[in-house]
Amino acid sequence: MYLHTMTDESLHTIPLEHNIDYHIMSLFERLEAMRKDSHGNAINNRLSSTLQPKRNMQGEIRTLEFWRSIISECLASFFYVFIVCGAAAGAGVGASVSSVLLATALASGLAMTALTQCFIHISGAHINPAVTLAACIIRTVSPIRAAMYITAQCGGGIAGAALLYG
């Protein structure tokens, strides 16, 4: 079976196994083979990453990536609390309730968007202990990482409020 294509010079006959469908199918077959784990089973859960193997607690604590993500969670919580509380405090002493609510809501949404963009590639940008606890329950983060994230988030939030209200 042949595929006929028209070019400027002449009519070329290309065997069917060299057309675009063949290349797409071979690409999908290669991708499927790459998705297989070492036992030959397909990885069905997108949350279980083959890039980061499971480590024990001591091995995880000793990595630079672990401490970098803890510090990023602390900084993200610090900035979030500082920005949102600062927006509420900066609305003015005699400001109406609606203007304080609007300023706080806008600051909260924009701060969360910006902080997520800044920290998602480092730690996942949980920023909230409830999100971290949920991630621990569904096992996307280890219990030691969740405990350290929650500690860092609380510490960052306290530091952000302390810097603002002093």
Side-chain angles (χ1 to χ4, degrees), residues 119-142:
F119 293 107
I120 196 163
H121 66 283
I122 300 171
S123 66
H126 296 179
I127 305 174
N128 185 340
V131 174
T132 303
L133 184 62
C136 181
I137 289 171
I138 65 170
R139 297 181 183 196
T140 58
V141 296
S142 66

Side-chain angles (χ1 to χ4, degrees), residues 10 61 68 143 166:
S10 65
I61 289 174
R68 188 174 167 218

Side-chain angles (χ1 to χ4, degrees), residues 45-127:
N45 187 357
R46 78 168 188 75
L47 298 175
S48 64
S49 174
T50 58
L51 298 175
Q52 295 179 353
K54 298 285 183 185
R55 296 186 185 110
N56 59 7
M57 280 193 217
Q58 290 178 347
E60 187 174 15
I61 289 174
R62 291 181 181 166
T63 62
L64 180 62
E65 185 268 331
F66 176 79
W67 293 106
R68 188 174 167 218
S69 61
I70 300 298
I71 291 169
S72 72
E73 284 294 322
C74 183
L75 284 174
S77 296
F78 170 83
F79 286 128
Y80 183 72
V81 169
F82 186 79
I83 291 169
V84 173
C85 290
V93 175
S96 66
V97 174
S98 61
S99 65
V100 172
L101 287 175
L102 180 64
T104 306
L106 286 174
S108 177
L110 294 174
M112 189 58 75
T113 302
L115 291 171
T116 300
Q117 286 295 317
C118 292
F119 293 107
I120 196 163
H121 66 283
I122 300 171
S123 66
H126 296 179
I127 305 174

